[in-house]
Amino acid sequence: RGRAGPGSAAMSAGGTLSILRSDSYAELSQYRDQHFRGTRYDQERLLRKSCTLYVGNLSFYTTEEQIHELFGKSGDIKKVIMGLDKVKKTACGFCFVEYYARGDAENAMRYINGTRLDDRIIRTDWDAGFKEGRQYGRGRSGGQVRDEYRQDYDAGRGGYGKNVQCQ
Amino acid sequence: MSRRRHSDDSDAGQPHKRRRTSEPSEIEERLESLICRVGEKSNSSLESNLEGLAGVLEADLPNYKSKILRILCTVARLLPEKLTVYTTLVGLLNARNYNFGGEFVEAMIRQLKECLKVNMYNEAVHLVRFLSDLVNCHVIAAPSMVAMFENFVSVTQEEDVPQVRCDWYMFAFLSSLPWVGKELYEKKDAEMDRLLSQTESYLKRRQKIHVPMLQVWTADKPHPQEEYLDCLWSQIQKLKKDRWQERHILRPYLAFDSVLCEALQHNLPPFTPPPHTEDSVYPMPRVIFRMFDYTDDPEGPVMPGSHSVERFVIEENLHCIIKSHWKERKTCAAQLLSYPGNNKIPLNYHIVEVIFAELFQLPSPPHIEVMYTTLLIELCKLQPGSLPQVLAQATEMLYMRLDTMNTTCVDRFINWFSHHLSNFQFRWSWEDWSDCLTQDLEKPKPKFVREVLEKCMRLSYHQRIIDIVPASFSVLSPANPVCIYKYGDESNRSLPGYTVALCLTIAIKNKASNDEIFSILKDVPNPNQDDDDGEGFTFNPLKIEVFVQTLLHLAAKSFSHSFSALAKFHEVFKTLAESDEGKLHVLRVVYDVWKNHPQMIAVLVDKMIRTQIVDCAAVANWIFSSELAHDFTRFYIWEILHSTIRKMNKHVLKIHKELEETKARLARQHKRRDSDDDDDDDDRSTDREDGPLEEQIERLQEKVESAQSEQKNLFLVIFQRFIMLLTEHLVRCETGGIDVFTPWYKSCIERLQQIFLQHHQIIQQYMVTLENLLFTAELDHHILAVFQQFCALQA
């Protein structure tokens, strides 16, 4: 997965241009984890050097193997941690992918984010790092918060949203 | 759903520098933006935008001249796709301010020298081209440009220099001619004729042993895979025959002719090409990838021929656009699709061809493979009515030509196509490819379909693949990726180790410790006992078999389960696999259990290397072992081998980096002490201070040497095994009177080439050993040819 071009030498031979530095896919999003222990600044510092991605909008049936295959296209994966329903302990549609190298995670943000896995457009975002407990959904019913409130029917995510189901 | 807070929260607690209204950097940003975005999103013409910008910059020259110089030089180097826009701008500035023009030319020459010094040859070409187009803008006098090119071409007369050095200077000269050939020929036709004839004789005498190694297809039909200089030479010859008429390049300076021809020109200072040094690394030779011609789009505009200079310019510019915007896929797609040419060229075809050219480039694509998949998807989104059809047509053509496609390129085709399909519900007209069903499964077409279906399955699941292909394709469908546990059935109870396996299963389910496992395994007899000469030979294949089979079976549920199992019983693994035979046997058992699930084999091997249960050499030996012979041509095997080599390479780099960092720390410590200049320091205290770091450096030095030795050994093992395997085949064919060139042979020899190409930088270090030890003159010429082609790459 090589790429030509000396990095620091570019500086001595003249530097670069800001329009060519644009890397919007690899930037931090607006999302900040409300449960993060530490300041906003701490979280952002970790996000900027993180090798871990949060992956969302997965089907409940998407396996670790599929995720490994897809995300392996941007580099060697250190670990995949499946997101689980806190009550049922079954997959609830998100996961964490940790790479050995940040560059590989950046490429995932650039080229895998916004493409399909199991026919669903998946979304990736920087994560400050896995900590025990973060593999569980934070919705009241045990799954993800978004599945509590959504109104649509999604066969890959348990059908209707939880509060629709409870009506 | 993200819960957003106000953005000012992000400043809380941040030791931010308060943003000074530092005018210089703001002005610089504004200037850079003005220059880089000239002509974009404007209702006025490009020409009037350029005129306006020239006026603004001229006014800023008194205060910001050096910034403007720097920006323009950088733009010349990094935005070659907009070459003529910026040469026009420089031309206008030169017309208004002669001194500025002179300083710009000087700055460009300095930048060119700097680029050549640090091996930035691709960017240097852009600078040369920019300078040559400045002749068209009356900034540089044509005779001085010809003189520079004379110095370039005379590099081909240098003795004892690598061919790739001469190649670069020749390329820099020839590739500028589409822009400036006409003007130079008009002013200095005798000199140009002389240069062109020197070019011709150089191209005739240069060696092209390396070409077969870089070709995507081994066949010349329907499109020959030409060496890049040969192709360019044909294009320039045709251009000359057409009296240097070139109509594709957009030349904004033409509109300003009356202004520009009033300007005074500058002479380029005499340019001596910097001499060749040991550190010089020139670009690798290339082969021009062509898959389309005008017959492929009969209804659209005519595609410029393969030897037309238009084709060269279009391809250069499209490659440059990808190079500029590879990180921003939407921008990249938009920029590609807005390439000027309007309805005069079949742009979609050019774009698809250029993208596949990069994807299939040997040794490696310029960018990460997955980028091209996603870029093509973005292009399909922007042109849903036309691009998907071109892509389908391209896929069909690539499929038709699989028989002669280089194995490495087939790998990339498999990866691209399966990943692409997974974004489009795996919709494909598989029946169109039914011809492959009647062929031998080892032939390229059925092999390709099998590998594609296997990859599609990895991105989805087994039943999905069964559902998407016609029933007739079931012979090519992947196996259901289930584990095979030899002790699973009651009917296997007569197998040696069966009872221990049962015992182990229960123990592991009851959360046994490593010690408990050891004690259970103690009772397993060693089938090698008879061979044991009493030296405490620890290799017991049955122990390994029982343990690994049972554990992997229990952990079969997912990758995570298996990784946990490896981690939990790491101690047992390390002990059982202590010897080389042990390591090999562990790998064999992993294969036996998971042969239906190649992806699982790959991740387990990866984990076992990383946790040092097996080493890289063991994996290499296992791949070449007879047990794996019938899987030898399968894609997953080579993914495993190359992943193994990459891990080895990264390991060496990592320790080397640690060593350099520790050395730097010691140097800083010395520097601090020297600057302290404390008279009380005596030798003993300095030794005390340096001691731990020096020890660390010594240890790391040893580690580096040991890692480098392991790395070299890995490559030697791999080459040795290739040579053995290929020699066996060649001898067998010769004595049996059968044709050497079977599908297996083609695959194997190309896999050997792939090793050389994919790791060429590292292998260059071993050239002497390889030449003296392995690739000697006694070797069969088929095998030796691969080595010779490799040597020719940087010769």
Side-chain angles (χ1 to χ4, degrees):
Chain A
R1 292 175 229 253
R3 199 152 43 251
S8 58
M11 288 302 135
S12 70
T16 182
L17 300 166
S18 60
I19 65 163
L20 296 179
R21 274 196 293 264
S22 177
D23 197 3
S24 62
Y25 285 89
E27 282 167 9
L28 302 191
S29 71
Q30 301 283 57
Y31 175 84
R32 297 291 178 266
D33 182 3
Q34 301 303 324
H35 292 209
F36 177 80
R37 291 236 173 102
T39 65
R40 222 5 100 77
Y41 174 70
D42 291 336
Q43 192 176 163
E44 280 169 24
R45 195 173 43 85
L46 287 173
L47 290 173
R48 276 182 232 285
K49 59 181 184 94
S50 171
C51 295
T52 306
L53 299 179
Y54 161 88
V55 184
N57 199 35
L58 297 174
S59 154
F60 287 9
Y61 305 102
T62 299
T63 61
E64 185 188 346
E65 288 71 13
Q66 287 170 277
I67 293 162
H68 207 279
E69 178 69 16
L70 181 61
F71 284 86
K73 290 180 186 297
S74 70
D76 291 336
I77 294 172
K78 189 168 176 185
K79 198 163 184 164
V80 171
I81 298 168
M82 301 298 287
L84 303 174
D85 182 298
K86 196 165 190 146
V87 173
K88 297 187 217 149
K89 303 290 198 288
T90 54
C92 70
F94 75 99
C95 75
F96 297 102
V97 176
E98 188 188 349
Y99 290 90
Y100 290 100
R102 174 153 175 114
D104 296 343
E106 285 171 356
N107 278 332
M109 290 289 286
R110 291 180 190 124
Y111 307 122
I112 301 176
N113 186 15
T115 66
R116 290 184 190 267
L117 179 56
D118 260 340
D119 302 312
R120 305 172 65 92
I121 301 276
I122 57 168
R123 192 181 64 83
T124 67
D125 198 0
W126 291 107
D127 188 80
F130 176 75
K131 288 232 156 31
E132 180 55 38
R134 297 193 65 235
Q135 70 269 44
Y136 297 115
R138 294 172 182 168
R140 210 147 45 97
S141 317
Q144 290 197 279
V145 171
R146 62 209 294 264
D147 292 310
E148 295 289 320
Y149 300 109
R150 61 180 175 77
Q151 303 285 317
D152 62 321
Y153 181 83
D154 188 342
R157 290 182 76 97
Y160 288 106
K162 286 294 183 294
N163 53 352
V164 169
Q165 284 179 22
C166 292
Q167 278 165 6
Chain B
M1 203 148 68
S2 61
R3 268 166 265 159
R4 292 174 193 192
R5 291 235 183 115
H6 293 296
S7 56
D8 53 26
D9 265 6
S10 64
D11 289 331
Q14 248 172 331
H16 238 4
K17 288 195 284 276
R18 202 171 288 279
R19 183 112 190 262
R20 280 178 273 124
T21 45
S22 45
E23 286 197 21
S25 74
E26 274 179 19
I27 302 270
E28 182 151 4
E29 268 172 46
R30 185 180 68 87
L31 283 173
E32 200 181 285
S33 178
L34 276 176
I35 292 171
C36 290
R37 295 188 196 284
V38 66
E40 272 178 36
K41 297 179 184 130
S42 170
N43 289 325
S44 344
S45 68
L46 173 63
E47 285 78 10
S48 74
N49 277 315
L50 280 172
E51 183 141 39
L53 181 56
V56 167
L57 293 178
E58 189 195 2
D60 280 335
L61 279 181
N63 294 318
Y64 301 109
K65 184 178 64 174
S66 60
K67 291 194 204 306
I68 294 171
L69 275 175
R70 184 195 68 77
I71 295 169
L72 288 173
C73 282
T74 310
V75 144
R77 184 168 51 89
L78 297 181
L79 291 179
E81 62 269 29
K82 297 176 83 181
L83 166 65
T84 52
V85 170
Y86 294 113
T87 52
T88 307
L89 180 63
V90 172
L92 292 173
L93 286 171
N94 179 58
R96 294 163 188 240
N97 187 322
Y98 176 78
N99 286 332
F100 177 77
E103 284 184 68
F104 177 76
V105 171
E106 275 168 28
M108 283 286 283
I109 294 291
R110 272 197 307 274
Q111 197 182 204
L112 176 61
K113 286 188 174 144
E114 190 58 40
C115 280
L116 294 176
K117 202 161 75 163
V118 295
N119 291 324
M120 284 167 72
Y121 286 97
N122 294 326
E123 303 192 345
V125 167
H126 303 152
L127 295 176
V128 172
R129 224 175 267 165
F130 196 96
L131 288 171
S132 66
D133 201 44
L134 285 178
V135 172
N136 294 324
C137 300
H138 299 260
V139 178
I140 291 177
S144 69
M145 194 71 223
V146 174
M148 183 187 234
F149 284 143
E150 280 170 345
N151 285 344
F152 276 26
V153 172
S154 67
V155 168
T156 60
Q157 303 296 326
E158 286 176 6
E159 283 177 12
D160 293 325
V161 293
Q163 184 176 282
V164 282
R165 169 181 165 82
C166 307
D167 285 351
W168 184 82
Y169 283 96
M170 191 51 75
F171 181 71
F173 163 56
L174 287 175
S175 68
S176 304
L177 293 183
W179 281 266
V180 75
K182 181 151 185 276
E183 187 66 23
L184 293 185
Y185 205 77
E186 265 168 31
K187 297 273 157 51
K188 287 276 177 181
D189 62 342
E191 286 79 357
M192 287 296 287
D193 274 332
R194 205 175 17 245
L195 283 178
L196 292 174
S197 114
Q198 283 173 327
T199 300
E200 182 159 29
S201 68
Y202 171 69
L203 292 178
K204 276 208 177 84
R205 70 171 191 268
R206 68 190 276 273
Q207 61 83 356
K208 291 197 287 227
I209 305 172
H210 54 275
V211 174
M213 208 178 208
L214 302 176
Q215 285 174 319
V216 172
W217 291 286
T218 53
D220 266 347
K221 289 187 156 47
H223 307 286
Q225 301 291 289
E226 283 182 286
E227 213 266 354
Y228 79 112
L229 277 182
D230 288 341
C231 185
L232 181 54
W233 176 237
S234 300
Q235 288 162 332
I236 298 301
Q237 281 185 298
K238 183 165 186 297
L239 177 64
K240 177 168 183 222
K241 229 189 263 159
D242 292 342
R243 294 190 355 248
W244 304 98
Q245 301 294 346
E246 187 292 316
R247 275 178 252 279
H248 175 80
I249 298 174
L250 245 51
R251 299 176 194 254
Y253 41 81
L254 293 175
F256 295 105
D257 199 50
S258 53
V259 169
L260 294 177
C261 69
E262 298 290 305
L264 289 174
Q265 297 170 312
H266 305 266
N267 281 316
L268 276 176
F271 185 88
T272 319
H276 173 67
T277 69
E278 251 180 36
D279 296 327
S280 305
V281 179
Y282 304 96
M284 266 220 197
R286 288 174 285 130
V287 161
I288 301 296
F289 175 86
R290 288 278 159 68
M291 64 182 292
F292 290 130
D293 63 28
Y294 70 97
T295 62
D296 294 306
D297 183 20
E299 274 143 56
V302 176
M303 191 174 216
S306 58
H307 286 165
S308 70
V309 100
E310 284 75 23
R311 193 72 175 262
F312 172 78
V313 172
I314 294 165
E315 287 167 355
E316 278 287 300
N317 284 334
L318 293 178
H319 282 298
C320 287
I321 289 173
I322 296 176
K323 181 149 187 251
S324 292
H325 302 289
W326 63 271
K327 294 194 298 270
E328 295 280 2
R329 67 206 212 205
K330 284 196 167 65
T331 305
C332 195
Q335 289 285 323
L336 285 170
L337 287 169
S338 57
Y339 178 72
N342 292 324
N343 300 315
K344 298 203 200 101
I345 55 171
L347 185 58
N348 284 344
Y349 283 85
H350 284 291
I351 291 173
V352 167
E353 189 176 68
V354 161
I355 288 176
F356 278 124
E358 293 203 5
L359 181 64
F360 294 135
Q361 185 175 297
L362 295 168
S364 314
H367 304 284
I368 190 173
E369 276 176 57
V370 68
M371 184 277 275
Y372 299 105
T373 311
T374 309
L375 179 60
L376 283 168
I377 293 174
E378 290 298 327
L379 287 163
C380 285
K381 280 192 214 165
L382 289 176
Q383 296 263 293
S386 55
L387 209 114
Q389 291 87 316
V390 176
L391 208 48
Q393 192 180 352
T395 306
E396 185 62 42
M397 291 170 78
L398 293 171
Y399 170 81
M400 298 290 279
R401 298 180 63 182
L402 277 170
D403 287 334
T404 55
M405 193 184 220
N406 182 296
T407 304
T408 306
C409 300
V410 177
D411 289 349
R412 297 194 202 150
F413 184 20
I414 292 166
N415 276 334
W416 167 71
F417 188 51
S418 54
H419 187 190
H420 180 83
L421 284 181
S422 75
N423 274 272
F424 296 97
Q425 300 108 40
F426 298 107
R427 272 181 280 121
W428 183 251
S429 47
W430 299 99
E431 309 77 17
D432 289 354
W433 289 353
S434 317
D435 64 318
C436 74
L437 295 173
T438 52
Q439 292 183 18
D440 180 282
L441 288 186
E442 275 303 303
K443 285 247 146 89
K445 283 182 184 162
K447 197 162 200 318
F448 167 76
V449 175
R450 273 174 75 195
E451 299 281 8
V452 164
L453 292 179
E454 192 178 307
K455 285 275 170 170
C456 286
M457 179 181 70
R458 291 200 200 185
L459 288 167
S460 59
Y461 49 95
H462 186 246
Q463 189 56 47
R464 185 85 195 274
I465 302 310
I466 305 295
D467 292 341
I468 57 151
V469 291
S472 52
F473 275 71
S474 57
V475 62
L476 299 177
S477 296
N480 197 1
V482 294
C483 104
I484 305 168
Y485 182 46
K486 78 190 284 188
Y487 305 111
D489 216 67
E490 267 273 315
S491 62
N492 294 327
R493 63 179 176 275
S494 55
L495 284 174
Y498 179 82
T499 25
V500 181
L502 277 184
C503 232
L504 268 182
T505 305
I506 297 167
I508 293 172
K509 280 185 178 168
N510 287 326
K511 307 206 192 298
S513 67
N514 280 273
D515 285 333
E516 288 168 64
I517 303 297
F518 275 125
S519 63
I520 295 173
L521 288 175
K522 220 170 9 135
D523 298 326
V524 175
N526 190 339
N528 289 349
Q529 204 69 52
D530 302 331
D531 306 337
D532 185 3
D533 59 355
E535 274 183 11
F537 193 65
T538 52
F539 171 53
N540 184 337
L542 189 56
K543 258 193 210 180
I544 292 175
E545 178 116 42
V546 171
F547 172 68
V548 177
Q549 282 258 353
T550 306
L551 189 66
L552 290 185
H553 168 245
L554 284 171
K557 184 153 186 237
S558 76
F559 289 176
S560 285
H561 287 83
S562 295
F563 297 157
S564 287
L566 286 182
K568 183 152 200 262
F569 296 103
H570 185 251
E571 213 188 310
V572 180
F573 269 105
K574 283 286 277 188
T575 309
L576 290 176
E578 209 179 309
S579 63
D580 285 344
E581 294 101 331
K583 293 182 168 63
L584 201 55
H585 203 69
V586 166
L587 290 166
R588 275 195 210 109
V589 178
V590 167
Y591 173 75
D592 286 338
V593 174
W594 282 117
K595 57 166 68 115
N596 289 327
H597 196 345
Q599 193 196 10
M600 174 66 97
I601 297 178
V603 302
L604 286 175
V605 170
D606 175 85
K607 208 47 115 187
M608 290 192 294
I609 293 176
R610 290 185 191 273
T611 53
Q612 299 176 316
I613 292 171
V614 301
D615 58 23
C616 297
V619 174
N621 279 316
W622 166 65
I623 283 177
F624 285 93
S625 69
S626 49
E627 287 91 0
L628 238 42
H630 58 89
D631 267 9
F632 190 71
T633 56
R634 280 180 70 184
F635 190 4
Y636 84 92
I637 292 291
W638 300 95
E639 285 185 318
I640 292 177
L641 184 61
H642 283 283
S643 168
T644 301
I645 299 173
R646 271 200 312 272
K647 278 191 276 286
M648 183 79 247
N649 295 344
K650 282 190 187 160
H651 175 68
V652 170
L653 286 175
K654 184 167 162 234
I655 306 185
H656 193 85
K657 189 170 165 215
E658 247 184 271
L659 174 64
E660 296 302 306
E661 279 170 0
T662 313
K663 278 184 177 166
R665 270 166 56 200
L666 185 65
R668 278 197 299 273
Q669 194 163 290
H670 283 164
K671 209 170 158 197
R672 262 199 312 273
R673 201 175 30 243
D674 289 341
S675 65
D676 276 347
D677 207 342
D678 192 329
D679 293 317
D680 290 340
D681 266 341
D682 60 43
D683 282 335
R684 282 169 301 169
S685 74
T686 39
D687 285 345
R688 216 184 314 131
E689 267 179 41
D690 286 348
L693 269 183
E694 279 176 356
E695 253 176 62
Q696 212 178 338
I697 288 175
E698 209 180 303
R699 264 202 318 263
L700 282 173
Q701 192 73 54
E702 276 170 31
K703 248 178 120 179
V704 164
E705 278 162 23
S706 143
Q708 284 173 334
S709 161
E710 197 187 333
Q711 184 184 41
K712 183 174 185 179
N713 184 56
L714 176 62
F715 280 105
L716 290 181
V717 164
I718 293 171
F719 285 132
Q720 220 155 18
R721 301 300 296 258
F722 262 116
I723 290 174
M724 278 163 53
L725 215 56
L726 286 165
T727 306
E728 217 178 274
H729 170 86
L730 289 164
V731 166
R732 208 181 320 123
C733 287
E734 254 158 73
T735 51
I738 27 175
D739 184 20
V740 156
F741 218 76
T742 59
W744 178 91
Y745 174 76
K746 176 180 183 291
S747 172
C748 189
I749 201 104
E750 285 174 357
R751 288 291 178 201
L752 173 58
Q753 277 177 344
Q754 187 185 29
I755 303 282
F756 277 111
L757 285 179
Q758 244 175 273
H759 308 283
H760 63 92
Q761 278 164 324
I762 311 238
I763 295 173
Q764 301 277 8
Q765 300 168 52
Y766 312 139
M767 293 305 272
V768 178
T769 310
L770 292 177
E771 210 164 352
N772 292 333
L773 217 61
L774 291 176
F775 293 95
T776 57
E778 291 94 54
L779 212 57
D780 187 299
H781 66 95
H782 291 96
I783 309 173
L784 200 52
V786 175
F787 180 65
Q788 287 164 343
Q789 285 163 12
F790 173 70
C791 295
L793 275 179
Q794 276 283 305

